[in-house]
């Protein structure tokens, strides 16, 4: 496979509204991202992924866009964004933007026109259906509501929304829609951005005929439908192939076999993808399942397409809480998970705050939560008569708000995030876990991440090396090699609160071998890994 800049890159995700507030309105802003570019650069990453900044009623934190080509006022002005791009580029940082084109806001002018009358020229820009037997056109469920269909009384039809009622799906079968999106993409690409993270991009094509689902609650019927690859190949041919950019598709429900159809280098669709076989389908840590997933994706893509590695983002709770140990071994665990994500095959994504070991939260009341997905589900479940406290306890661990608490800069009020009233409650542990503390501690998670990222620049084996798991069947120890030419690395991880011994074949002997990086100061016993101990050896 050919070498490219994005394959060698580490991506840092900036959820700007929770990153740094410079105007005191309680929301982070683009000026705040500019103010922290040196911090991001110092970490050593190559690319910033910026969550949506476009004009929006902000019902789904910017994923309900009402004008693709203007900047949401709480984020800043277009001039601010242009300065952010310039300042990032001057620091050698690339910037990729969020492309949200499965749906718009119901306040987008396109939808306002479309819903105005059945014969409006833009009626067919969205998905409108007559009632069937006096009811909804089918039994599909949306991500955020019991049905994808919303009745529109004035025009006597339903419209489809795969997410909130206020997020109507665009009709990608309509060529005018596709051309309007391509034109918008060129608007941003011509400003000099370096690519796109593509929001639920595999949902653009809908099942032909909109048939009832056998299991409506298993919503994978929303994605990977016939026609999707033609759309993406057209998008690539008409837009992406004219720029030196990277594209990463957010692709729920996808398997390695289907994933290759999106990112195969001969497919001319996308460069890489986020799959959700971990984040969506593995609620708690399961090392055996995780190894199986890594193995099938490696076999599925190796030599043909490129994977991405992440364990948390703005939708998925903080990894050290969900998949590690955020208590006694928080720092060791954060470093182990970082070592894993940066030494497995694929591009590593760092979600803001992950680099200092920020954790998830448990707010006492549903009123402390902002996420529409969680609030809708809470409403839906309590409406069934379920005990509110039980529903809250059920939803807290995986609430998207776990990752959306403000970035913790220092131990001052509101963790130094804002001088105003923060839009989202700050995690109370900010007094102990914050950037200032991390930068003053040579043994912090931050400096460990900085070292991991710098290793990637020095050792091609991390990027292009073959992968082999040598610990199949072990529920705690994960031992795998990465090999490229004469260089072989052995990564040893003990994902456990107990010490465990590691037994290796002579071919993988570590005695006398160089320890490239480890998360424990001293090695007590060469073949015993301490709780959440991670080591990288060069064999
Ligand atoms: O990750 C998930 C399942 O695959 C869901 O939590 C998530 O809602 C889904 O992936 C879609 O996420 C994206 O689109 C949503 C938006 O709310 C999310 O923030 C965004 O990441 C609708 O645009």
């Amino acid at each position: 496979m050919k070498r490219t800049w994005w394959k060698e890159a580490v991506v840092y995700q900036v959820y700007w509204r929770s990153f740094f507030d410079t105007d005191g309105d309680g929301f982070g802003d683009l000026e705040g991202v500019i103010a922290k570019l040196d911090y991001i650069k110092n970490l050593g990453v190559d690319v910033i992924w910026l969550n949506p900044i476009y004009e929006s009623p902000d019902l789904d934190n910017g994923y309900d866009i009402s004008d693709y080509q203007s900047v949401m006022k709480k984020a800043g002005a277009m001039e601010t964004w242009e300065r952010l791009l310039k300042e990032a580029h001057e620091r050698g940082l690339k910037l990729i933007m969020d492309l949200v084109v499965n749906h718009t806001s119901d306040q987008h002018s396109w939808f306002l026109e479309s819903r105005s009358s059945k014969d409006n020229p833009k009626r067919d820009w969205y998905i409108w259906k007559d009632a069937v037997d006096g009811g909804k056109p089918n039994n599909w469920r949306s991500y955020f509501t019991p049905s994808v269909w919303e009745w529109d009384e004035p025009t006597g039809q339903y419209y489809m929304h795969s997410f909130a009622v206020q997020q109507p799906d665009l009709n990608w079968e309509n060529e005018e829609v596709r051309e309007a999106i391509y034109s918008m993409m060129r608007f941003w690409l011509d400003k000099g951005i370096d690519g796109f993270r593509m929001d639920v991009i595999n949902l653009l094509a809908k099942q032909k005929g909109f048939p009832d689902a056998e299991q409506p609650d298993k919503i994978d019927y929303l994605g990977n439908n016939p026609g999707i690859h033609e759309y993406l190949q057209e998008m690539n041919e008409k837009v992406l192939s004219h720029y030196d950019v990277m594209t990463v598709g957010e692709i729920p429900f996808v398997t390695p076999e289907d994933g290759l159809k999106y990112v195969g280098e001969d497919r001319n669709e996308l460069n890489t993808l986020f799959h959700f076989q971990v984040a969506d389908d593995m609620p708690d840590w399961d090392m055996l399942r995780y190894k199986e997933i890594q193995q099938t994706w490696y076999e599925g893509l190796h030599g043909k397409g490129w994977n991405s590695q992440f364990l948390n983002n703005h939708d998925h709770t903080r990894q050290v809480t969900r998949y590690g140990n955020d208590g006694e071994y928080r720092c060791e665990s954060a470093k182990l998970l970082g070592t894993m994500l940066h030494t497995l095959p694929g591009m590593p994504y760092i979600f803001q705050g992950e680099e200092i070991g920020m954790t998830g939260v448990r707010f006492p009341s549903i009123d402390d939560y902002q996420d529409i997905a969680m609030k809708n589900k809470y409403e839906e479940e309590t409406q069934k008569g379920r005990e509110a406290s039980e529903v809250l306890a059920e939803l807290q661990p995986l609430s998207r708000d776990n990752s959306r608490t403000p970035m913790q800069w220092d131990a001052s009020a509101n963790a130094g995030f804002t001088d105003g009233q923060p839009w989202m409650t700050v995690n109370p542990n900010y007094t102990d876990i914050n950037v200032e503390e991390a930068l003053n501690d040579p043994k912090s998670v931050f400096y460990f991440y900085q070292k991991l990222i710098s290793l990637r620049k020095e050792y091609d084996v991390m990027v292009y090396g073959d992968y082999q798991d040598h610990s199949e069947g072990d529920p705690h120890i994960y031992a795998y090699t990465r090999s490229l030419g004469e260089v072989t690395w052995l990564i040893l991880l003990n994902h456990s609160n107990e010490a465990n011994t590691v037994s290796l074949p002579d071919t993988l002997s570590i005695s006398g071998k160089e320890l490239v990086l480890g998360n424990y100061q001293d090695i007590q016993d060469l073949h015993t890994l301490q709780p959440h101990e991670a080591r990288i050896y060069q064999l």
Side-chain angles (χ1 to χ4, degrees):
M1 290 179 80
K2 59 182 181 296
R3 296 189 172 211
T4 66
W5 64 263
W6 48 268
K7 286 178 183 171
E8 298 164 13
V10 176
V11 183
Y12 187 81
Q13 181 189 355
V14 173
Y15 196 65
W16 57 268
R17 67 187 58 236
S18 299
F19 195 59
F20 185 54
D21 172 19
T22 60
D23 60 11
D25 69 351
F27 285 90
D29 44 51
L30 298 179
E31 205 68 66
V33 182
I34 293 172
K36 298 296 182 181
L37 281 176
D38 288 336
Y39 167 77
I40 296 171
K41 180 66 181 175
N42 180 34
L43 182 58
V45 299
D46 309 281
V47 180
I48 291 171
W49 157 25
L50 190 62
N51 286 98
I53 50 115
Y54 320 101
E55 191 54 71
S56 160
D58 222 13
L59 178 123
D60 184 22
N61 292 8
Y63 283 92
D64 50 319
I65 296 165
S66 53
D67 182 349
Y68 284 109
Q69 297 179 196
S70 71
V71 175
M72 191 190 304
K73 286 173 191 50
K74 71 174 65 158
M78 183 60 84
E79 176 280 326
T80 328
W81 178 86
E82 285 168 346
R83 200 155 29 85
L84 167 58
L85 180 67
K86 178 173 171 289
E87 297 270 354
H89 282 171
E90 282 174 359
R91 290 167 173 80
L93 291 166
K94 292 182 182 288
L95 181 73
I96 67 171
M97 301 276 277
D98 224 310
L99 186 75
V100 187
V101 293
N102 173 68
H103 48 273
T104 68
S105 161
D106 62 354
Q107 300 307 305
H108 196 295
S109 60
W110 296 347
F111 187 70
L112 296 176
E113 286 182 52
S114 177
R115 84 179 313 172
S116 65
S117 77
K118 289 176 83 166
D119 53 17
N120 180 284
K122 284 193 168 58
R123 186 67 174 184
D124 188 43
W125 280 44
Y126 292 83
I127 299 169
W128 293 93
K129 295 284 175 204
D130 290 331
V132 171
D133 300 335
K136 293 179 171 58
N138 66 22
N139 64 356
W140 295 356
R141 182 187 166 85
S142 95
Y143 271 91
F144 296 165
T145 56
S147 169
V148 299
W149 301 106
E150 178 69 7
W151 178 250
D152 181 67
E153 188 57 39
T155 58
Q157 281 192 308
Y158 286 94
Y159 68 83
M160 179 176 172
H161 58 89
S162 295
F163 291 91
V165 165
Q166 300 88 339
Q167 293 171 289
D169 281 35
L170 284 163
N171 174 18
W172 270 74
E173 285 195 359
N174 186 322
E175 188 179 5
E176 289 175 356
V177 168
R178 303 202 301 273
E179 289 303 333
I181 295 298
Y182 299 158
S183 164
M184 175 270 286
M185 292 173 70
R186 292 187 195 98
F187 171 85
W188 290 104
L189 288 166
D190 290 342
K191 284 180 175 291
I193 66 170
D194 301 288
F196 289 108
R197 174 267 188 187
M198 297 192 176
D199 190 64
V200 285
I201 201 68
N202 61 320
L203 267 57
L204 304 185
K206 314 308 182 188
Q207 266 193 7
K208 296 282 180 278
F210 297 82
D212 264 353
E214 280 175 29
Q215 297 173 280
D217 284 349
K218 192 169 173 295
I219 62 172
D220 54 349
Y221 47 78
L222 293 177
N224 306 316
N225 291 305
I228 183 59
H229 296 293
E230 287 73 11
Y231 294 151
L232 292 178
Q233 285 161 16
E234 180 184 72
M235 180 190 284
N236 191 299
E237 193 272 324
K238 291 196 169 184
V239 184
L240 298 168
S241 59
H242 301 276
Y243 301 86
D244 176 20
V245 292
M246 74 163 272
T247 53
V248 51
E250 181 196 34
I251 309 201
F253 321 120
V254 76
T255 61
E257 187 189 359
D258 285 343
L260 185 60
K261 295 174 193 160
Y262 292 93
V263 300
E265 297 211 330
D266 59 349
R267 297 281 299 172
N268 300 315
E269 295 189 19
L270 305 176
N271 294 136
T272 184
L273 62 84
F274 300 131
H275 68 72
F276 287 87
Q277 290 194 326
V278 178
D280 269 352
D281 302 337
M282 196 174 91
D284 306 307
W285 186 254
D286 176 346
M287 177 61 93
L288 296 179
R289 173 66 184 138
Y290 189 74
K291 289 176 179 177
E292 186 185 8
I293 291 167
Q294 291 296 340
Q295 188 63 32
T296 52
W297 278 94
Y298 178 70
E299 288 166 2
L301 298 186
H302 184 58
K304 295 173 272 187
W306 211 254
N307 198 2
S308 292
Q309 298 286 354
F310 77 100
L311 285 176
N312 55 195
N313 60 26
H314 66 292
D315 292 330
H316 295 280
T317 188
R318 292 205 171 265
Q319 60 196 41
V320 76
T321 296
R322 184 181 186 190
Y323 290 134
N325 178 313
D326 66 358
E328 183 185 359
Y329 295 105
R330 182 181 62 83
C331 287
E332 292 81 0
S333 179
K335 293 174 183 176
L336 178 143
L337 295 176
T339 304
M340 192 169 70
L341 293 171
H342 286 251
T343 57
L344 283 169
M347 296 174 71
Y349 285 71
I350 301 169
F351 178 61
Q352 66 182 46
E354 173 190 328
E355 77 278 9
I356 59 169
M358 277 177 65
T359 69
V361 288
R362 291 289 182 276
F363 294 132
S365 155
I366 186 68
D367 299 331
D368 296 310
Y369 288 90
Q370 313 280 343
D371 176 20
I372 183 172
M374 178 178 183
K375 293 178 95 78
N376 281 8
K377 193 67 182 165
Y378 178 86
E379 203 53 44
E380 187 182 334
E381 292 304 309
T382 49
Q383 292 283 358
K384 293 176 185 170
R386 290 184 61 193
E387 179 55 45
S389 58
E390 179 194 307
V391 173
L392 179 63
E394 190 176 277
L395 296 179
Q396 281 174 322
L398 297 186
S399 165
R400 301 193 299 175
D401 282 340
N402 280 291
S403 288
R404 300 177 177 185
T405 61
M407 183 71 180
Q408 295 164 197
W409 295 105
D410 56 42
S412 71
N414 298 319
F417 162 70
T418 178
D419 294 337
Q421 178 58 35
W423 73 278
M424 162 74 78
T425 309
V426 178
N427 190 321
N429 63 20
Y430 73 90
T431 49
D432 300 319
I433 303 171
N434 60 68
V435 165
E436 186 175 52
E437 179 273 334
L439 294 180
N440 289 331
D441 171 7
K443 297 280 168 283
S444 67
V445 178
F446 177 90
Y447 289 118
F448 191 88
Y449 262 69
Q450 191 185 57
K451 179 67 179 163
L452 274 175
I453 296 162
S454 68
L455 287 174
R456 197 173 205 84
K457 305 283 177 282
E458 200 182 334
Y459 293 93
D460 281 352
V461 66
M462 282 178 94
V463 181
Y464 297 106
D466 290 344
Y467 162 85
Q468 188 177 349
D469 180 1
H470 299 275
S471 56
E472 286 165 73
D474 191 315
H476 301 298
I477 298 285
Y478 195 2
Y480 53 94
T481 49
R482 300 292 308 277
S483 312
L484 184 69
E486 297 304 305
V487 177
T488 294
W489 275 14
L490 173 63
I491 295 92
L492 301 177
L493 310 173
N494 176 31
H495 193 296
S496 166
N497 295 335
E498 313 300 328
N500 282 298
T501 53
V502 57
S503 51
L504 297 160
D506 293 348
T507 51
L508 297 178
S509 163
I510 56 177
S511 26
K513 296 297 186 325
E514 179 199 350
L515 179 66
V516 177
L517 183 64
N519 67 346
Y520 270 71
Q521 188 63 23
D522 308 305
I523 291 180
Q524 295 166 24
D525 173 299
L526 197 58
H527 292 93
T528 301
L529 294 177
Q530 297 308 308
H532 297 280
E533 183 170 8
R535 297 183 203 161
I536 303 174
Y537 284 99
Q538 176 140 329
L539 298 185

